[in-house]
């Protein structure tokens, strides 16, 4: 069955520290993976998609098919990075379904 | 226009009321979605419309009734809701079958059922 696992409910770091938000997935096909971010009182917005291999706001994420992981990383956290982060797996074909992980709340302390 | 808009922002309704939530996008997307989100939880998919036809209903109770009048609009009709239906209702859109499949989300309607 398709599943996305984010093992940490809360990750608290100090400003300037490295950040790694973990995401593991279970999917028999070729995965399409995303990171979405939800800042306080703002809409859910796309942060990264694995297929484009881009860096947004200093965040990167690499798909590791061997470990079935798509961890989100940033070398130096900023206070404005504090938000809820969701890893999501596109379960496609005709269904266009997006399966979300349970989310990790990142709190960056000054 | 690259946004999904939702109205109203907030809605308080009694258990006997009938109300509707509205969603609009002008990005030319042909797939639209309704999600329910409880506090500090991920969005839960409710319905998917693809080319204005209902393609997924995730076993949602019949007190929620979706409608897609055209390719830009999506409604969610509410009737005889329960207090546990109080949540943030999110609309999203995407272009089905092309590109990277990312969904664009609206700001949501915060619904309180009294």
């Amino acid at each position: 069955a398709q599943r996305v696992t984010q093992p940490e409910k809360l990750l608290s770091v100090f400003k300037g520290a490295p950040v790694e938000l973990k995401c593991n997935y279970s999917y028999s096909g070729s995965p399409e993976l995303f990171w979405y971010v939800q800042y306080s009182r703002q809409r859910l917005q796309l942060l990264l998609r694995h297929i484009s291999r881009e860096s947004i706001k200093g965040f990167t994420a690499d798909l590791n098919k061997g470990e079935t992981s798509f961890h989100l990383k940033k070398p130096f956290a900023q206070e404005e990075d504090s938000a809820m982060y969701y890893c999501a797996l596109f379960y496609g074909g005709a269904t266009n379904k997006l399966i979300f992980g349970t989310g990790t709340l990142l709190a960056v302390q000054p | 226009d690259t946004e999904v808009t939702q109205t109203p922002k907030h809605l308080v309704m009694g258990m006997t009321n009938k109300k509707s939530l509205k969603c609009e996008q002008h990005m030319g997307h042909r797939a639209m979605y309704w999600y329910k989100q409880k506090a500090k939880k991920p969005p839960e998919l409710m319905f998917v419309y693809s080319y204005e036809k209902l393609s997924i209903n995730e076993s949602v109770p019949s007190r929620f009734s979706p409608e897609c009048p055209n390719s830009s609009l999506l409604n969610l009709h509410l009737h005889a809701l329960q207090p546990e239906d109080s949540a943030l209702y999110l609309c999203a859109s995407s272009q089905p079958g092309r590109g990277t499949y990312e969904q664009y989300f609206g700001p949501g309607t915060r619904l309180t059922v009294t």
Side-chain angles (χ1 to χ4, degrees):
Chain A
Q2 300 75 30
R3 176 178 282 183
V4 177
T5 304
Q6 293 180 252
E8 302 135 331
K9 283 188 177 181
L10 171 66
L11 182 63
S12 183
V13 301
F14 286 103
K15 177 182 173 182
V19 170
E20 184 178 47
L21 301 172
K22 291 184 167 51
C23 172
N24 288 89
Y25 66 91
S26 173
Y27 184 53
S28 56
S30 184
E32 294 278 349
L33 288 154
F34 304 89
W35 277 99
Y36 279 84
V37 60
Q38 195 168 30
Y39 300 101
S40 179
R41 295 189 181 141
Q42 292 189 28
R43 72 180 66 202
L44 193 63
Q45 53 188 284
L46 178 68
L47 180 64
L48 283 176
R49 49 196 162 209
H50 94 270
I51 200 166
S52 53
R53 302 180 64 84
E54 56 203 340
S55 173
I56 302 291
K57 299 183 180 182
F59 285 97
T60 58
D62 289 320
L63 176 62
N64 185 325
K65 290 186 178 181
E67 295 182 359
T68 60
S69 68
F70 187 56
H71 303 326
L72 184 68
K73 299 177 183 179
K74 184 170 183 177
F76 308 104
Q78 303 298 315
E79 289 181 67
E80 55 266 30
D81 296 328
S82 296
M84 181 69 87
Y85 290 80
Y86 293 102
C87 184
L89 169 69
F90 176 74
Y91 175 42
T95 64
N96 292 306
K97 286 181 72 168
L98 201 58
I99 299 170
F100 286 91
T102 50
T104 298
L105 180 62
L106 175 64
V108 181
Q109 311 295 332
Chain B
D1 188 349
T2 58
E3 278 201 344
V4 176
T5 59
Q6 291 186 244
T7 55
K9 287 186 178 178
H10 301 276
L11 179 63
V12 179
M13 60 185 291
M15 289 190 284
T16 58
N17 291 159
K18 284 186 180 180
K19 297 285 184 184
S20 297
L21 309 184
K22 295 185 185 302
C23 172
E24 191 167 2
Q25 57 89 14
H26 294 287
M27 293 180 278
H29 291 167
R30 301 303 296 275
M32 296 185 77
Y33 311 79
W34 281 114
Y35 290 86
K36 174 182 177 180
Q37 188 179 27
K38 291 281 203 178
K40 301 211 189 310
K41 298 289 187 184
E44 300 173 34
L45 183 66
M46 301 175 71
F47 302 103
V48 180
Y49 273 84
S50 184
Y51 296 96
E52 296 86 69
K53 291 185 179 177
L54 183 65
S55 60
I56 295 178
N57 176 340
E58 293 284 38
S59 303
V60 179
S62 60
R63 57 185 184 268
F64 295 91
S65 175
E67 179 196 18
C68 189
N70 59 55
S71 60
S72 300
L73 293 174
L74 186 67
N75 298 321
L76 186 63
H77 303 298
L78 314 173
H79 173 55
L81 294 193
Q82 304 296 309
E84 59 266 26
D85 296 322
S86 298
L88 182 68
Y89 287 83
L90 299 173
C91 175
S93 72
S94 72
Q95 191 62 282
R98 298 177 62 181
T100 54
Y101 312 107
E102 64 262 32
Q103 295 182 13
Y104 296 82
F105 285 82
T109 293
R110 189 161 299 282
L111 174 68
T112 303
V113 181
T114 60

